[in-house]
Amino acid sequence: MPEFVSLQDVSLNYDVSESSLALSGTTMSIKRGQFAAVVGPSGCGKSSLMKLVTGLKRSTSGTVSVAGNKVNGPLKIVGMAFQNPTLLPWRRLLSNLMLPLEIVQPHRGRLRAHRDEYVERARDLLRTVGLEEFEDRYPWMLSGGMQQRANLCRSLIHEPELLMLDEPFGALDAFTREELWGVLQSIWMTKKFTTILVTHDLREAAYLADVIFVMSARPGRVIATHPVDLPRPRTIETTFDPHFIDIVHKIRNEIAQVRNEGKAAAARTLKAV
Amino acid sequence: MTSRNRRRLEVAFPWIVITVLLVTWQAAVVALDIKPFVLPSPTAIFAAFVENRGPIMQHALFTLTSTMSGFALGVLFGVTLGVVIGSSRLVYVGLYPVLIGFNSIPKVAIVPLLVLWLGIGQPTAIATAFLLSFFPIAVNIATGLATVEPELEDVLLSLGATKADLLFKVGLPRAMPYFFASLKVSITLAFIGAVIAETIASNDGIGYLMLQASSQFRIPLMFAGVFVIAIMGIVTYLIFALIERRMTGWATRGRDMQVASGG
């Protein structure tokens, strides 16, 4: 499989001072159709990584390339979903889903003439996440889990080649979260879009991803890469598999270590001052 | 109390309050034998209104026209200004002190200046109504635009959205509740502006009528003018409150709409 997303020695600095370095020397590569997860202690620059890959931010040094092209500005082949569902409260669910189609070319130009076809596509997507009965509801009439399903649909409606997820299930209760892992996995298994999932939840990473990147404390860089070779489709049973627990355990230790190093470094800086 | 009775009470209560107020007023004037040129009774005011209803309605229509014209200009300018301030940080920083300064000027103070530029009559009243009414609209539109979630902007930008897309798909709809709320404030301010200008420099309008009545010691007629302004204010406010409810039900999360649970 060819490389789809690649970061070569990438650094990101929000301003000139050394202390605002968010990422430093990050290198990672993700193959086309792969599901990658990025985990790390809080404040390790995971969200900065999202902004770099999607081109919303330019790297200070190093190269970011997607689909063989250097990223120079916002990409147009991306779907994004965040922890906050950010559905538009004045639009009904179906019309919320269609929002990306009103913006992305070539759909934008075709939407008026081929409306039925697109509505059908949105309905199909709603059906896969079990929301087909709710297309006429306003988002605020739905529970948090339902809103997040809709958010996921919205990020997929234009069939992006790259899906970026920033802790999409972070605000949900444990049961809803695990249910949505299954939903996301089954959509991904049929469509095979390249996915980058940023998360705090190690079980979530191990359940969903083909490969897990572990990042260090700020300034972030990739300190370990773990392939997850568990068979798919994975289920909640899989999470009790000794091999699964092994992976989660190993990553947990690595993060504990970088957190301690981070704390020690911070203490040293304080003393020096 | 059942909820139905409570709703009935809510509808009736404003009328009860007004009635009690008027009855107390009437009783006080009669009991304390207050002279009409100090404080006329409600019945005397009503009599003055009926007696002069022709000229009063004519002047009221004039005031209403000035107010609405000034208000319409205020909406146009306020929305434009709000969009400009709300979409550019630089413009916001640059214009903010100027706007605050401008808003701090008592508009009565600049009516003589407007008379100098626009002459005595309707243009001055329209200009004053405009100057008082655009500010809340501009501020509210700008606030609405500023409350767009950054994540949503990221989602749309990563789809290749332009600034115009963000404004029309997200920014302006998001600002609508703020906009309609500001209309209710602005229409009242527009009335104030028009009447102020009429009392200073006009030969028409309720403000002028009241000034004339006062100089002739026709105090009941003056009060009739006050009541007419108040009623016009309440009616226009209610109209905009109703439009607000119709247009932005989503912002109040449609309290009467059904909510789905589970999932």
Side-chain angles (χ1 to χ4, degrees):
Chain A
M1 272 189 287
E3 197 168 73
F4 190 70
V5 177
S6 133
L7 285 85
Q8 285 296 326
D9 200 23
V10 171
S11 301
L12 176 68
N13 210 337
Y14 280 102
D15 60 59
V16 281
S17 75
E18 189 71 15
S19 61
S20 63
L21 202 59
L23 289 174
S24 150
T26 304
T27 298
M28 64 171 65
S29 96
I30 297 157
K31 298 193 186 81
R32 184 179 282 274
Q34 207 173 23
F35 198 124
V38 178
V39 298
S42 53
C44 70
K46 288 176 295 201
S47 297
S48 305
L49 190 79
M50 299 264 302
K51 296 209 167 188
L52 281 175
V53 174
T54 51
L56 292 172
K57 279 236 156 36
R58 299 282 294 274
S59 62
T60 315
S61 66
T63 359
V64 180
S65 51
V66 172
N69 300 316
K70 215 176 149 213
V71 176
N72 279 325
L75 293 178
K76 297 181 179 175
I77 50 158
V78 186
M80 274 179 125
F82 293 88
Q83 177 171 340
N84 179 354
T86 62
L87 298 170
L88 305 178
W90 55 90
R91 284 174 172 233
R92 291 172 194 278
L93 206 54
L94 195 69
S95 126
N96 255 298
L97 244 63
M98 313 269 290
L99 180 67
L101 301 176
E102 295 168 22
I103 291 169
V104 179
Q105 289 295 4
H107 308 301
R108 182 184 196 141
R110 297 182 70 234
L111 184 60
R112 201 181 285 266
H114 301 79
R115 188 156 195 100
D116 293 348
E117 168 196 326
Y118 284 113
V119 167
E120 208 39 56
R121 188 198 282 193
R123 287 205 176 116
D124 278 345
L125 213 48
L126 278 176
R127 205 166 301 131
T128 57
V129 300
L131 285 179
E132 65 273 31
E133 295 160 38
F134 298 96
E135 59 168 66
D136 282 333
R137 299 292 178 92
Y138 288 100
W140 37 269
M141 295 170 158
L142 308 176
S143 69
M146 289 156 94
Q147 288 187 30
Q148 202 51 268
R149 284 165 207 246
N151 187 18
L152 205 57
C153 291
R154 186 180 64 185
S155 66
L156 292 169
I157 183 83
H158 56 296
E159 302 190 331
E161 291 178 65
L162 179 61
L163 179 66
M164 304 292 289
L165 302 170
D166 190 351
E167 294 187 38
F169 311 129
L172 304 177
D173 67 274
F175 297 112
T176 311
R177 198 183 308 156
E178 285 173 1
E179 189 190 331
L180 288 191
W181 294 350
V183 170
L184 177 57
Q185 176 179 244
S186 70
I187 300 177
W188 176 79
M189 283 178 72
T190 49
K191 308 222 162 131
K192 286 286 181 181
F193 36 81
T194 313
T195 306
I196 301 180
L197 166 73
V198 168
T199 180
H200 280 301
D201 186 339
L202 303 182
R203 289 175 65 243
E204 179 171 300
Y207 182 107
L208 285 165
D210 297 320
V211 56
I212 301 175
F213 297 99
V214 184
M215 292 191 63
S216 70
R218 204 180 173 97
R221 70 201 151 74
V222 177
I223 53 160
T225 307
H226 296 276
V228 183
D229 46 9
L230 295 161
R232 293 188 190 263
R234 297 170 192 159
T235 62
I236 293 305
E237 281 309 308
T238 318
T239 65
F240 301 108
D241 185 303
H243 186 46
F244 183 96
I245 294 168
D246 249 13
I247 295 171
V248 170
H249 205 160
K250 202 155 51 176
I251 298 173
R252 157 123 266 148
N253 284 339
E254 281 167 359
I255 290 180
Q257 203 179 344
V258 293
R259 282 191 66 195
N260 286 335
E261 279 166 14
K263 275 184 199 154
R268 271 201 304 281
T269 335
L270 270 179
K271 248 182 221 161
V273 175
Chain B
M1 199 186 302
T2 65
S3 64
R4 202 160 140 221
N5 280 342
R6 203 183 156 78
R7 275 188 73 102
R8 270 192 204 153
L9 185 69
E10 262 178 43
V11 172
F13 210 61
W15 299 106
I16 298 174
V17 169
I18 290 170
T19 313
V20 168
L21 214 64
L22 290 178
V23 168
T24 317
W25 180 350
Q26 182 80 29
V29 169
V30 173
L32 304 173
D33 193 23
I34 299 172
K35 294 282 171 284
F37 61 84
V38 177
L39 181 67
S41 66
T43 45
I45 295 168
F46 187 69
F49 173 77
V50 174
E51 190 187 327
N52 300 289
R53 62 184 180 280
I56 287 181
M57 291 321 278
Q58 197 188 328
H59 286 294
L61 191 66
F62 188 84
T63 302
L64 191 66
T65 318
S66 307
T67 304
M68 285 306 176
S69 313
F71 175 68
L73 289 176
V75 171
L76 280 180
F77 183 69
V79 169
T80 316
L81 187 65
V83 167
V84 173
I85 298 174
S87 16
S88 158
R89 171 85 196 145
L90 200 63
V91 177
Y92 171 81
V93 171
L95 275 184
Y96 199 65
V98 178
L99 280 174
I100 296 296
F102 177 80
N103 198 43
S104 314
I105 303 171
K107 301 300 172 295
V108 196
I110 50 173
V111 174
L113 201 58
L114 292 175
V115 173
L116 197 69
W117 291 337
L118 303 169
I120 290 173
Q122 200 157 28
T124 300
I126 294 176
T128 316
F130 160 72
L131 287 178
L132 256 83
S133 62
F134 82 84
F135 190 77
I137 298 174
V139 169
N140 277 280
I141 288 275
T143 310
L145 292 181
T147 55
V148 172
E149 297 103 323
E151 292 102 333
L152 186 60
E153 265 180 39
D154 282 355
V155 167
L156 295 182
L157 285 175
S158 68
L159 295 171
T162 60
K163 275 225 154 200
D165 285 335
L166 285 179
L167 183 66
F168 287 109
K169 301 274 181 216
V170 182
L172 285 179
R174 160 80 70 234
M176 281 305 110
Y178 296 89
F179 172 65
F180 285 109
S182 73
L183 288 188
K184 292 188 298 188
V185 178
S186 281
I187 186 67
T188 321
L189 289 177
F191 266 112
I192 295 173
V195 174
I196 285 176
E198 285 166 2
T199 31
I200 297 177
S202 178
N203 295 320
D204 295 284
I206 292 286
Y208 168 76
L209 176 86
M210 286 171 60
L211 202 69
Q212 288 299 305
S214 134
S215 67
Q216 296 160 9
F217 268 99
R218 295 163 74 183
I219 309 302
L221 180 59
M222 253 188 98
F223 271 90
V226 171
F227 270 85
V228 168
I229 296 170
I231 290 167
M232 285 197 294
I234 293 173
V235 169
T236 43
Y237 179 95
L238 286 179
I239 291 172
F240 284 104
L242 198 71
I243 297 175
E244 180 189 16
R245 265 238 313 263
R246 291 292 295 272
M247 300 295 288
T248 58
W250 59 267
T252 50
R253 301 294 187 257
R255 252 167 278 148
D256 41 16
M257 290 191 218
Q258 176 195 358
V259 176
S261 55

